[in-house]
């Protein structure tokens, strides 16, 4: 059996796995904190590391987001896929509940090789989806639904307005890091903000947050104007002392536990190799 699982921001491969159900019962995912990160050994990306214990083997590969196929990250994914030949691939960015080869994502994967592809189709997730689909390997999402995330965060004591604010800020941070949004003080940003506010609110079942409301909450939480804040892309980093940092820390654990359960389900159903391709 082969498993590919990503926890805490990277690709992880487990192969061959015996007694994994017992391991699942004992799994304890530590919350990400800056202190935990400081204790970890740092290696340049992308990387692949292999670990063995008895008949359990772990191959760990990590890298950042890329939007071109001419990168070491894409070469690493290709090498891992061709070596492991997984029976199913689990991808970041969309819910497991969408099922195998969800049509909207198949359409995005088919756009990957086209010159007029959008940023999402150009990324490594859709490269991986296209790689799987073209090799007749099914792929599924590795995310919980937004409703599942909302329920878990509400149980942890957060309000729907806290969740919406954090999810919108996360989208803004990712867009800035990826270069989809150049600046947050331009008229064009308003269209992006309105779109992400509506889509997150619709998924959460709440009323969208306006840009003026977002600005006021941002200042109240971070004591800064988001339009001039040079730290805006780091405000969603988990483990910080702010409401957003604490909420996102819990959300990461919710997502990681979901992907672990998803891998267990795939192993139980297929009794074969499972590929986990993640950032």
């Amino acid at each position: 059996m082969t498993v590919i699982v990503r926890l805490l921001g990277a690709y992880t491969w487990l192969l061959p796995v015996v007694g994994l159900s017992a391991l699942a019962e004992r799994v304890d995912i530590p919350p990400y904190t800056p202190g935990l990160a400081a204790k970890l050994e740092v290696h340049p990306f992308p990387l692949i590391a292999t670990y063995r214990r008895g008949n359990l083997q772990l191959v760990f590969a990590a890298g950042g987001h890329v939007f071109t196929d001419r990168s070491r990250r894409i070469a690493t994914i290709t090498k891992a896929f061709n070596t492991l030949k997984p029976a199913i691939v689990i991808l970041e960015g969309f819910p497991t509940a969408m099922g195998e080869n969800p049509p909207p994502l198949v359409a995005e994967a088919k756009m990957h090789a086209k010159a007029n592809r959008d940023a999402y189709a150009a990324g490594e997730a859709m490269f991986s989806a296209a790689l799987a689909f073209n090799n007749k390997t099914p792929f599924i999402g590795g995310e919980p639904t937004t409703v599942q995330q909302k329920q878990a965060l509400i149980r942890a004591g957060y309000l729907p307005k806290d969740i919406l604010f954090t999810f919108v800020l996360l989208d803004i941070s990712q867009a800035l890091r990826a270069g989809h949004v150049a600046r947050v003080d331009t008229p064009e940003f308003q269209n992006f903000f309105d779109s992400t506010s509506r889509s997150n609110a619709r998924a959460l079942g709440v009323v969208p947050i306006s840009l003026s409301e977002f600005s006021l909450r941002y200042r109240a939480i971070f004591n800064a104007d988001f339009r001039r804040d040079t730290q805006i892309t780091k405000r969603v980093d988990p483990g910080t002392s702010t409401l957003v940092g604490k909420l996102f820390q819990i959300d990461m654990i919710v997502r990681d536990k979901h992907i672990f359960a998803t891998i267990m389900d795939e192993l139980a159903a297929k009794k074969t190799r499972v590929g986990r391709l993640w950032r």
Side-chain angles (χ1 to χ4, degrees):
M1 297 180 185
T2 302
V3 178
I4 303 179
V5 57
R6 172 267 192 187
L7 297 177
L8 303 181
Y11 290 86
T12 308
W13 283 262
L14 295 173
L15 56 139
V17 178
V18 177
L20 195 53
S21 296
L23 175 63
E25 294 175 2
R26 302 193 306 271
V27 67
D28 181 21
I29 300 173
Y32 175 90
T33 65
L36 174 63
K39 295 178 181 178
L40 302 178
E41 187 175 358
V42 177
H43 298 275
F45 284 166
L47 66 86
I48 298 178
T50 302
Y51 305 86
R52 294 179 178 86
R53 182 177 181 181
N55 58 3
L56 181 67
Q57 179 174 309
L58 168 67
V59 181
F60 179 87
H65 282 309
V66 295
F67 299 93
T68 173
D69 289 359
R70 300 180 63 182
S71 68
R72 293 174 58 203
R73 175 70 187 283
I74 294 299
T76 300
I77 294 172
T78 303
K79 179 180 179 180
F81 187 93
N82 291 338
T83 300
L84 298 175
K85 296 180 172 56
I88 190 167
V89 171
I90 307 174
L91 295 169
E92 177 188 24
F94 59 97
T96 310
M98 293 181 72
E100 289 188 4
N101 296 350
L105 277 303
V106 170
E108 284 285 344
K110 289 181 178 179
M111 286 294 297
H112 180 81
K114 298 184 180 298
N116 62 339
R117 63 190 182 183
D118 60 21
Y120 183 64
E124 77 283 349
M126 287 303 98
F127 169 84
S128 303
L131 185 64
F133 188 78
N134 292 337
N135 283 276
K136 303 188 185 318
T137 301
F139 67 88
I140 60 174
E143 305 279 7
T145 65
T146 306
V147 171
Q148 290 171 324
Q149 290 175 278
K150 174 186 174 183
Q151 291 171 341
L153 290 168
I154 287 177
R155 286 195 297 270
Y158 292 96
L159 300 174
K161 66 178 183 180
D162 300 329
I163 303 169
L164 176 62
F165 176 86
T166 300
F167 283 13
V168 170
L169 178 56
L170 176 61
D171 283 352
I172 294 171
S173 174
Q174 290 179 334
L176 286 167
R177 287 174 172 177
H180 302 163
V181 172
R183 295 167 56 185
V184 297
D185 59 350
T186 64
E188 291 77 16
F189 175 75
Q190 178 77 59
N191 294 331
F192 170 82
F193 179 89
D194 290 344
S195 175
T196 190
S197 177
R198 286 194 302 268
S199 62
N200 278 291
R202 183 168 56 251
L204 289 167
V206 297
V207 177
I209 184 173
S210 68
L211 186 57
S212 60
E213 291 174 304
F214 178 88
S215 180
L216 288 173
R217 288 219 71 194
Y218 193 97
R219 184 177 291 278
I221 295 172
F222 303 113
N223 193 30
D225 180 349
F226 85 93
R227 294 178 179 85
R228 296 177 175 82
D229 187 8
T230 59
Q231 300 298 308
I232 187 171
T233 59
K234 299 179 181 179
R235 295 300 190 183
V236 292
D237 287 353
T240 58
S241 60
T242 66
L243 177 147
V244 169
K246 292 178 179 178
L247 186 153
F248 193 50
Q249 181 185 59
I250 293 174
D251 187 57
M252 282 184 67
I253 295 176
V254 171
R255 294 174 65 208
D256 285 340
K257 287 187 174 180
H258 173 86
I259 183 54
F260 198 88
T262 300
I263 291 168
M264 298 302 101
D265 290 344
E266 291 301 323
L267 283 172
K270 295 181 179 295
K271 304 297 183 185
T272 186
R273 295 181 298 274
V274 178
R276 175 78 166 114
L277 298 178
W278 212 253
R279 75 180 178 203

